[in-house]
Amino acid sequence: MSDHLHRLPTGPVDLSAIETDVAPGFDGGKSEGKAALFELGDELSDLQERLFAEGRSGSPRRILLVLQGMDTSGKGGVLRHTVGLVDPQGVRITSFKAPTQEELSHDFLWRIRRALPDAGYIGVFDRSHYEDVLIARVRELAAPEEIERRYTAINDFERELVDEGTVVLKCMLHISAAEQKERLLARLDDPTKYWKYNPGDVDERGQWPQYRRAYEIALERTNTPHAPWFVIPSDKKWYRNLTVGRLLHDALVRLDPQWPDADFDVDLERKRLIDEAPLT
Amino acid sequence: MSDHLHRLPTGPVDLSAIETDVAPGFDGGKSEGKAALFELGDELSDLQERLFAEGRSGSPRRILLVLQGMDTSGKGGVLRHTVGLVDPQGVRITSFKAPTQEELSHDFLWRIRRALPDAGYIGVFDRSHYEDVLIARVRELAAPEEIERRYTAINDFERELVDEGTVVLKCMLHISAAEQKERLLARLDDPTKYWKYNPGDVDERGQWPQYRRAYEIALERTNTPHAPWFVIPSDKKWYRNLTVGRLLHDALVRLDPQWPDADFDVDLERKRLIDEAPLT
């Protein structure tokens, strides 16, 4: 289980004290890490299918994986390499962008609730309701009292999800400012990556300390026992992908989803098929 | 290119004359077929990412993969093994069930239009608007004139999609009645598959010839030059998965999606990053 390695302790958070370029709990380098993730695939797939089967039989249980992190921290990479290991039929991915006019006319959780996965699914949020206390705080997109209110609203919302049978797995992909700079420069050096580059990202980067502080406050105030935060060293992409995979795996193992019993008479059905009239 | 092997010729369709347990165009058995699909993965992923990148830069192009076939023909298997090869961020899967009351209050294409993929995406329909001329015909869920109208409505709709820049790739997964029987019995022999078994499937199976006829009519009447049908021998699961993968690959190669140009000044952006003020 990877939980204890990355589970954020309660209390004040100092992100600068959490290393980004390390691989705790894993003996080996990049190629071993990639192989370990690939090997995890079969078991992840099996557990996901059980969860899906359970959901089809009336169980309300589901998983919500929340991915947060600075630009270039690798939310997309986790989706491709880790979430991509399981059957896409059982996954619902939502990438949250700047809210639309309609979304802004509602409470900040309105669009979030609409994107929740159905029972039996693994829902993945690429950015999430946390943006409403991150960029919203740094860019002053809402009044301070409203930002303040949101931390409690988020905790209440997540409590409600957990009570309904949702595992809320919150991962912060933690990179250093130097690593972000390298990744942005790499996008400029590769014409197949231009489309991922947005000059606005550099403006946001200029506010790095403000974003870090906003993350620290958000992590501290929403690091609840029912929906704790995991901070994942993410300078090493392979370690980031593997670690989210392991956390997802552990969450599924703890859920221990069960193949549903037959809600029909198995022997009778077998007999119907074997004794069927010619198909004419 | 796999197209010519499976592309349905225009004119009357006789499904009983199309073999289900064959693997045309492939030299090798199951293990070679699985390896070939796996090898296709990287290229499929690359092409899909290009399509996605193009879509982010204003191109309207997209792919709609329509999967049809009798129960147990393997629509789910194609989703897991073939569609599962590409980045789940770029895929939108919709599984169509019996229409809801709200859906029934609209034209049959209403729910279909709402499920169309965004530009740059690969949309996959697990069942589709074709159910409205298949089960709807066999079970007389609509008046004969309405069923009649729908063939033309489907052709017009698909014409419109193609004109907007959508590749409409229609695959019928073709199995024999004997193969279906084996697969249904296999579900009864394996408690981890009970959840996939529905006694109603055996009732539908009793109408096999009527379904086959409904398929033949639908295939014949909607096998248009802009959105032709592919009939894929599907008794061999590995061949089915590989063939859909190859058809998807060929469609992407023909589209030839391009990495977008930078819509910013690359040198200036590099300079901004290199010369940035300290992040304090």
Side-chain angles (χ1 to χ4, degrees):
Chain A
M1 298 267 169
S2 294
D3 294 35
H4 64 288
L5 288 170
H6 304 294
R7 184 156 173 173
L8 191 69
T10 50
V13 178
D14 176 5
L15 279 173
S16 64
I18 303 178
E19 287 182 288
T20 56
D21 191 28
V22 291
F26 189 75
D27 260 352
K30 184 173 175 174
S31 59
E32 291 87 356
K34 285 187 169 188
L37 178 60
F38 184 77
E39 275 168 40
L40 199 61
D42 279 348
E43 217 174 318
L44 265 182
S45 272
D46 177 66
L47 287 160
Q48 178 271 324
E49 191 181 3
R50 284 174 192 250
L51 179 66
F52 190 78
E54 228 198 47
R56 293 283 287 268
S57 305
S59 163
R61 302 201 298 172
R62 57 186 174 177
I63 289 186
L64 179 63
L65 172 62
V66 173
L67 299 176
Q68 282 289 158
M70 301 285 206
D71 290 329
T72 77
S73 62
K75 300 176 289 291
V78 167
L79 285 165
R80 171 181 282 234
H81 298 288
T82 305
V83 177
L85 290 172
V86 306
D87 190 340
Q89 290 173 94
V91 171
R92 182 168 178 200
I93 296 171
T94 308
S95 294
F96 289 98
K97 313 286 178 198
T100 62
Q101 276 308 316
E102 187 189 17
E103 288 167 350
L104 285 172
S105 74
H106 293 273
D107 179 68
F108 76 106
L109 291 174
W110 180 77
R111 66 173 184 163
I112 304 297
R113 287 182 184 277
R114 290 161 57 99
L116 289 170
D118 287 335
Y121 279 74
I122 298 174
V124 189
F125 284 178
D126 167 9
R127 304 187 184 274
S128 67
H129 40 301
Y130 285 97
E131 292 298 322
D132 297 290
V133 292
L134 292 168
I135 190 171
R137 185 179 187 105
V138 173
R139 293 291 178 184
E140 299 179 359
L141 305 179
E145 318 81 75
E146 168 62 11
I147 301 284
E148 198 54 31
R149 181 190 73 83
R150 289 179 181 173
Y151 300 105
T152 313
I154 287 173
N155 288 338
D156 291 346
F157 168 61
E158 290 177 354
R159 167 90 260 168
E160 182 192 315
L161 292 181
V162 170
D163 287 347
E164 286 167 7
T166 312
V167 174
V168 181
L169 182 57
K170 304 189 293 194
C171 295
M172 191 234 172
L173 310 182
H174 184 38
I175 56 169
S176 67
E179 177 68 19
Q180 187 190 57
K181 184 171 182 168
E182 268 189 45
R183 292 184 184 181
L184 288 172
L185 284 169
R187 289 182 182 178
L188 293 173
D189 286 340
D190 180 353
T192 74
K193 290 186 176 158
Y194 286 166
W195 68 279
K196 293 185 179 182
Y197 186 94
N198 174 359
D201 294 348
V202 180
D203 303 323
E204 295 308 306
R205 175 176 167 78
Q207 306 267 62
W208 183 277
Q210 290 83 347
Y211 273 102
R212 186 175 56 208
R213 188 69 202 120
Y215 263 104
E216 287 170 344
I217 295 167
L219 290 169
E220 178 180 338
R221 297 198 52 184
T222 62
N223 190 27
T224 54
H226 55 275
W229 272 103
F230 296 87
V231 177
I232 299 167
S234 295
D235 283 2
K236 296 184 200 299
K237 296 175 182 176
W238 64 265
Y239 182 75
R240 169 201 74 202
N241 296 341
L242 174 62
T243 302
V244 176
R246 286 177 161 189
L247 289 169
L248 188 57
H249 173 264
D250 295 352
L252 281 161
V253 167
R254 261 194 309 272
L255 266 183
D256 192 21
Q258 299 297 314
W259 296 113
D261 291 331
D263 56 0
F264 50 83
D265 182 331
V266 175
D267 292 331
L268 178 69
E269 291 299 320
R270 197 179 285 116
K271 200 165 166 357
R272 279 178 75 200
L273 274 161
I274 290 170
D275 297 347
E276 74 182 352
L279 299 175
T280 52
Chain B
M1 298 267 169
S2 293
D3 295 35
H4 64 287
L5 288 170
H6 305 294
R7 185 155 171 174
L8 190 68
T10 51
V13 178
D14 176 5
L15 279 172
S16 64
I18 303 178
E19 287 183 288
T20 56
D21 191 28
V22 290
F26 189 75
D27 259 353
K30 183 172 174 174
S31 59
E32 291 87 357
K34 285 186 169 189
L37 178 61
F38 184 77
E39 275 169 39
L40 198 62
D42 280 348
E43 218 173 318
L44 265 182
S45 272
D46 176 66
L47 286 160
Q48 177 271 325
E49 190 180 5
R50 284 173 192 251
L51 180 66
F52 190 78
E54 230 199 44
R56 294 284 286 268
S57 306
S59 164
R61 303 200 299 174
R62 56 186 176 177
I63 288 186
L64 179 63
L65 172 63
V66 173
L67 298 176
Q68 283 289 157
M70 301 285 207
D71 289 330
T72 78
S73 62
K75 300 177 289 291
V78 167
L79 285 165
R80 172 181 282 235
H81 298 288
T82 305
V83 177
L85 290 171
V86 305
D87 190 340
Q89 289 173 94
V91 171
R92 181 167 179 202
I93 296 170
T94 308
S95 294
F96 289 98
K97 313 288 180 197
T100 63
Q101 277 307 316
E102 187 190 17
E103 288 168 350
L104 285 171
S105 74
H106 294 272
D107 179 67
F108 76 106
L109 290 174
W110 180 77
R111 66 173 183 162
I112 305 296
R113 289 182 184 278
R114 289 160 58 98
L116 289 171
D118 287 336
Y121 279 73
I122 297 174
V124 189
F125 284 179
D126 166 8
R127 303 185 184 275
S128 65
H129 42 301
Y130 284 96
E131 292 298 323
D132 297 289
V133 292
L134 292 168
I135 190 171
R137 184 179 188 104
V138 173
R139 293 292 179 186
E140 299 179 359
L141 305 179
E145 318 81 75
E146 167 62 10
I147 301 283
E148 198 53 33
R149 182 190 72 82
R150 288 179 182 172
Y151 301 105
T152 313
I154 288 172
N155 288 338
D156 292 346
F157 168 61
E158 291 177 353
R159 168 89 261 170
E160 181 192 314
L161 292 181
V162 170
D163 287 346
E164 286 167 7
T166 313
V167 174
V168 180
L169 182 57
K170 304 189 295 195
C171 294
M172 190 234 172
L173 310 181
H174 184 37
I175 57 169
S176 68
E179 177 68 19
Q180 187 190 57
K181 185 170 179 169
E182 269 189 44
R183 292 183 184 181
L184 289 171
L185 285 169
R187 289 181 182 178
L188 293 172
D189 286 340
D190 180 353
T192 74
K193 290 186 175 156
Y194 286 165
W195 68 280
K196 293 185 180 183
Y197 186 92
N198 175 359
D201 294 347
V202 180
D203 303 324
E204 295 307 307
R205 174 175 167 78
Q207 306 266 65
W208 183 278
Q210 290 82 347
Y211 273 102
R212 187 175 55 209
R213 188 70 202 121
Y215 264 103
E216 288 170 343
I217 296 167
L219 291 169
E220 179 181 338
R221 298 198 50 184
T222 62
N223 190 27
T224 54
H226 55 275
W229 272 102
F230 296 86
V231 177
I232 299 167
S234 296
D235 284 2
K236 297 185 200 298
K237 296 175 181 176
W238 63 267
Y239 182 76
R240 170 201 73 203
N241 296 340
L242 175 61
T243 303
V244 177
R246 286 177 161 187
L247 289 170
L248 188 58
H249 173 265
D250 294 352
L252 280 161
V253 167
R254 261 194 309 272
L255 266 183
D256 192 22
Q258 299 297 315
W259 298 112
D261 291 331
D263 57 359
F264 49 82
D265 181 331
V266 175
D267 291 331
L268 177 69
E269 291 299 319
R270 196 180 284 117
K271 199 165 164 1
R272 279 177 74 200
L273 275 162
I274 291 169
D275 298 347
E276 74 182 353
L279 299 175
T280 51

